[in-house]
Amino acid sequence: MQPVSGVVWVLTVAGIVGLLLFDFFFHVRRAHVPRLREAALWTSVYVSIAILFGVGVWVFGGSTMGAEYFAGYVTEEALSVDNLFVFLLLMSSFKVPRADQQKVLLFGIVVSLLARTGFILVGAALINSFAWIFYLFGLILLVTAGNLLKDKHEEGEAPDNFVIRLARRFLRTSDTYDGDKLFTYQDGKRVLTPMLLVMVAIGGTDILFALDSIPAIFGLTQNVYLVFTATAFSLLGLRQLYFLIDGLLDRLVYLSYGLAAILGLIGVKLVLHALHENNVPFINGGKHVDVVEIPTVASLGIIIGVLVVTVVVSLLSPKGRARTAVAGARRQATEFLDIETDPAYCDEIYHRLLEEEKKLKQLPEKYRARIRQQVELMELLERAHRVHAERVAAGSCYVPATT
């Protein structure tokens, strides 16, 4: 495998930093709600950059490096989509206004990139020093694959871990947001806003995700340059991807099963590689075990195939359609009642809520019956309609001009 020169490293890091700065100054600094067209455009731009970079790796580094990069990038991108479920729940839990969510996501991406870079360097050092570390990485991925088979995305259940609990305990914040500011004044005193708290929660949670994703990509390539670039490019377009597919996230009901299969495959690949490189005394007397290893090209084909099947089956699933409609209605009602304050955007959210309710009514009867049994959801929707009627009666509801 060809070594990567220091010049290439410097240019690559400079390019990634430049993309992050461009993202901040041209998109995130001015708080706004990205429309579907904007999110789709910039998602395609970042994916195209990642693909072109991979083509360059393939041309200048050879087919092996190219296949390893693409396998790593696709795997990390798939894991990032799964992470978006948790980001969505965090945004809802902290009641972050839609226009301010971009800054939170970009902060989380930067923290994650820095943390994962550290994990990559540590992982590479461990691999170079201890061949048995592949056994540990493989075990981590197999356990993670088993955990993914559990339904971890319960409706309305916000994630909770020690990072979030510590942040809530030690970061004293005001009760309300002040735009996207991190500090505000309350009773004449300078205090933190909830914006800082949610940034810590997003960044901290994403660091925990790295404990799974870094072993996964090391199972596909041990080239530190490829591990770093595949990880970085999978994160760079994550903010735009969030706004592009957040309405479809709940539709991907079988994504966790697909990811479990992928992580299981990589876990087995790591264990086989560990057996091949074995120097653990109590395994085959410290000698290597003659086993068949899974080629990277085969891994890439399996990963893409699993993801395609998972997404197609999810999109065609009646269960996915029902869960999408329920989650959409709950999200729009919650935003309308508890999060947004801008009259024009509130009116837009209310009309989205009406569209989601139409979808609920178009579901098969067995799903509609289950939805009617969700007392909390029914009360939430009724309250949204009641509040909208009160706002219209009071003349405080924005009504768009007609032509």
Side-chain angles (χ1 to χ4, degrees), residues 170-192:
F170 293 105
L171 293 179
R172 304 299 180 184
T173 64
S174 63
D175 297 327
T176 57
Y177 290 88
D178 185 5
D180 59 0
K181 296 178 182 177
L182 300 182
F183 298 90
T184 189
Y185 285 91
Q186 194 173 66
D187 298 327
K189 296 181 179 179
R190 194 169 187 244
V191 296
L192 299 170

Short mmCIF file of all heavy atoms in Angstrom, two decimals, residues 170-192:
data_model
loop_
_atom_site.label_atom_id
_atom_site.label_comp_id
_atom_site.label_asym_id
_atom_site.label_seq_id
_atom_site.Cartn_x
_atom_site.Cartn_y
_atom_site.Cartn_z
N PHE A 170 -24.35 20.48 35.45
CA PHE A 170 -23.34 21.51 35.70
C PHE A 170 -23.50 22.77 34.86
O PHE A 170 -22.92 23.79 35.17
CB PHE A 170 -21.94 20.92 35.49
CG PHE A 170 -21.57 19.87 36.51
CD1 PHE A 170 -21.56 18.53 36.17
CD2 PHE A 170 -21.27 20.24 37.81
CE1 PHE A 170 -21.23 17.56 37.11
CE2 PHE A 170 -20.93 19.27 38.76
CZ PHE A 170 -20.92 17.93 38.41
N LEU A 171 -24.26 22.70 33.77
CA LEU A 171 -24.46 23.89 32.95
C LEU A 171 -25.80 24.52 33.30
O LEU A 171 -26.86 24.04 32.90
CB LEU A 171 -24.42 23.53 31.45
CG LEU A 171 -23.06 23.06 30.92
CD1 LEU A 171 -23.18 22.73 29.44
CD2 LEU A 171 -21.99 24.12 31.14
N ARG A 172 -25.77 25.56 34.09
CA ARG A 172 -26.99 26.26 34.49
C ARG A 172 -27.42 27.19 33.36
O ARG A 172 -26.65 28.06 32.94
CB ARG A 172 -26.74 27.07 35.77
CG ARG A 172 -26.22 26.22 36.92
CD ARG A 172 -27.21 25.14 37.32
NE ARG A 172 -26.72 24.32 38.43
CZ ARG A 172 -27.36 23.27 38.92
NH1 ARG A 172 -28.53 22.93 38.40
NH2 ARG A 172 -26.85 22.58 39.92
N THR A 173 -28.58 26.99 32.85
CA THR A 173 -29.02 27.76 31.69
C THR A 173 -30.35 28.45 31.97
O THR A 173 -31.07 28.11 32.92
CB THR A 173 -29.20 26.86 30.46
OG1 THR A 173 -30.26 25.92 30.71
CG2 THR A 173 -27.93 26.10 30.16
N SER A 174 -30.67 29.41 31.09
CA SER A 174 -31.99 30.06 31.15
C SER A 174 -33.04 29.08 30.62
O SER A 174 -32.71 28.05 30.03
CB SER A 174 -31.98 31.34 30.31
OG SER A 174 -31.75 31.02 28.94
N ASP A 175 -34.30 29.44 30.82
CA ASP A 175 -35.38 28.56 30.37
C ASP A 175 -35.73 28.75 28.90
O ASP A 175 -36.38 27.89 28.30
CB ASP A 175 -36.65 28.81 31.22
CG ASP A 175 -36.42 28.45 32.68
OD1 ASP A 175 -35.64 27.51 32.94
OD2 ASP A 175 -37.02 29.12 33.55
N THR A 176 -35.32 29.87 28.32
CA THR A 176 -35.71 30.17 26.95
C THR A 176 -34.47 30.47 26.09
O THR A 176 -33.42 30.83 26.61
CB THR A 176 -36.64 31.39 26.89
OG1 THR A 176 -35.98 32.52 27.51
CG2 THR A 176 -37.94 31.10 27.64
N TYR A 177 -34.65 30.31 24.78
CA TYR A 177 -33.58 30.62 23.83
C TYR A 177 -33.57 32.11 23.53
O TYR A 177 -34.59 32.80 23.66
CB TYR A 177 -33.79 29.85 22.52
CG TYR A 177 -33.56 28.36 22.64
CD1 TYR A 177 -34.60 27.50 23.02
CD2 TYR A 177 -32.32 27.81 22.38
CE1 TYR A 177 -34.39 26.14 23.14
CE2 TYR A 177 -32.10 26.44 22.49
CZ TYR A 177 -33.15 25.61 22.87
OH TYR A 177 -32.94 24.26 22.99
N ASP A 178 -32.42 32.59 23.11
CA ASP A 178 -32.28 33.97 22.65
C ASP A 178 -31.65 33.91 21.27
O ASP A 178 -30.46 34.14 21.09
CB ASP A 178 -31.41 34.77 23.62
CG ASP A 178 -31.35 36.25 23.24
OD1 ASP A 178 -32.05 36.65 22.30
OD2 ASP A 178 -30.58 37.00 23.89
N GLY A 179 -32.47 33.53 20.27
CA GLY A 179 -31.95 33.28 18.94
C GLY A 179 -30.98 32.11 19.00
O GLY A 179 -31.25 31.09 19.65
N ASP A 180 -29.81 32.26 18.36
CA ASP A 180 -28.80 31.21 18.43
C ASP A 180 -27.63 31.61 19.33
O ASP A 180 -26.53 31.06 19.22
CB ASP A 180 -28.29 30.85 17.03
CG ASP A 180 -27.68 32.06 16.32
OD1 ASP A 180 -27.65 33.15 16.92
OD2 ASP A 180 -27.24 31.89 15.17
N LYS A 181 -27.89 32.56 20.24
CA LYS A 181 -26.84 33.02 21.14
C LYS A 181 -26.55 31.97 22.21
O LYS A 181 -27.46 31.25 22.66
CB LYS A 181 -27.25 34.33 21.81
CG LYS A 181 -27.43 35.50 20.83
CD LYS A 181 -27.88 36.75 21.57
CE LYS A 181 -28.10 37.92 20.61
NZ LYS A 181 -28.61 39.11 21.31
N LEU A 182 -25.29 31.93 22.65
CA LEU A 182 -24.90 31.00 23.72
C LEU A 182 -25.09 31.63 25.09
O LEU A 182 -25.22 30.92 26.09
CB LEU A 182 -23.43 30.60 23.55
CG LEU A 182 -23.07 29.88 22.24
CD1 LEU A 182 -21.59 29.50 22.25
CD2 LEU A 182 -23.94 28.66 22.04
N PHE A 183 -25.13 32.98 25.16
CA PHE A 183 -25.32 33.68 26.42
C PHE A 183 -26.43 34.72 26.25
O PHE A 183 -26.64 35.25 25.16
CB PHE A 183 -24.03 34.38 26.86
CG PHE A 183 -22.87 33.44 27.11
CD1 PHE A 183 -21.99 33.12 26.09
CD2 PHE A 183 -22.68 32.89 28.37
CE1 PHE A 183 -20.93 32.26 26.31
CE2 PHE A 183 -21.62 32.03 28.60
CZ PHE A 183 -20.75 31.71 27.57
N THR A 184 -27.12 35.00 27.34
CA THR A 184 -28.14 36.04 27.34
C THR A 184 -28.19 36.67 28.72
O THR A 184 -27.48 36.24 29.64
CB THR A 184 -29.52 35.46 26.96
OG1 THR A 184 -30.45 36.53 26.77
CG2 THR A 184 -30.04 34.53 28.05
N TYR A 185 -29.01 37.68 28.86
CA TYR A 185 -29.15 38.35 30.16
C TYR A 185 -30.53 38.06 30.72
O TYR A 185 -31.55 38.20 30.04
CB TYR A 185 -28.93 39.85 30.01
CG TYR A 185 -27.48 40.21 29.83
CD1 TYR A 185 -26.93 40.31 28.55
CD2 TYR A 185 -26.65 40.44 30.92
CE1 TYR A 185 -25.59 40.61 28.37
CE2 TYR A 185 -25.31 40.75 30.75
CZ TYR A 185 -24.79 40.83 29.48
OH TYR A 185 -23.45 41.14 29.32
N GLN A 186 -30.56 37.64 31.98
CA GLN A 186 -31.81 37.32 32.66
C GLN A 186 -31.78 37.98 34.04
O GLN A 186 -30.89 37.71 34.84
CB GLN A 186 -31.95 35.80 32.78
CG GLN A 186 -33.34 35.34 33.16
CD GLN A 186 -33.45 33.82 33.09
OE1 GLN A 186 -32.83 33.09 33.85
NE2 GLN A 186 -34.26 33.35 32.16
N ASP A 187 -32.73 38.87 34.28
CA ASP A 187 -32.76 39.63 35.54
C ASP A 187 -31.45 40.39 35.76
O ASP A 187 -30.93 40.47 36.89
CB ASP A 187 -33.02 38.70 36.73
CG ASP A 187 -34.37 38.01 36.63
OD1 ASP A 187 -35.30 38.63 36.09
OD2 ASP A 187 -34.48 36.85 37.06
N GLY A 188 -30.90 40.91 34.66
CA GLY A 188 -29.68 41.69 34.74
C GLY A 188 -28.41 40.87 34.87
O GLY A 188 -27.32 41.44 34.97
N LYS A 189 -28.51 39.55 34.86
CA LYS A 189 -27.33 38.69 35.00
C LYS A 189 -27.08 37.93 33.70
O LYS A 189 -28.01 37.55 33.00
CB LYS A 189 -27.54 37.69 36.14
CG LYS A 189 -27.67 38.34 37.51
CD LYS A 189 -27.84 37.28 38.60
CE LYS A 189 -27.96 37.92 39.97
NZ LYS A 189 -28.14 36.91 41.05
N ARG A 190 -25.80 37.75 33.39
CA ARG A 190 -25.42 37.02 32.18
C ARG A 190 -25.51 35.52 32.46
O ARG A 190 -24.83 35.00 33.38
CB ARG A 190 -24.00 37.40 31.77
CG ARG A 190 -23.61 36.98 30.37
CD ARG A 190 -22.30 37.64 29.98
NE ARG A 190 -21.95 37.41 28.59
CZ ARG A 190 -20.88 36.74 28.18
NH1 ARG A 190 -20.06 36.23 29.08
NH2 ARG A 190 -20.62 36.61 26.90
N VAL A 191 -26.31 34.81 31.69
CA VAL A 191 -26.50 33.37 31.90
C VAL A 191 -26.36 32.64 30.57
O VAL A 191 -26.44 33.22 29.49
CB VAL A 191 -27.89 33.07 32.51
CG1 VAL A 191 -28.01 33.67 33.91
CG2 VAL A 191 -29.01 33.58 31.60
N LEU A 192 -26.14 31.33 30.67
CA LEU A 192 -26.09 30.48 29.48
C LEU A 192 -27.49 30.26 28.93
O LEU A 192 -28.47 30.25 29.69
CB LEU A 192 -25.47 29.13 29.83
CG LEU A 192 -24.03 29.14 30.36
CD1 LEU A 192 -23.66 27.76 30.87
CD2 LEU A 192 -23.08 29.57 29.27
#
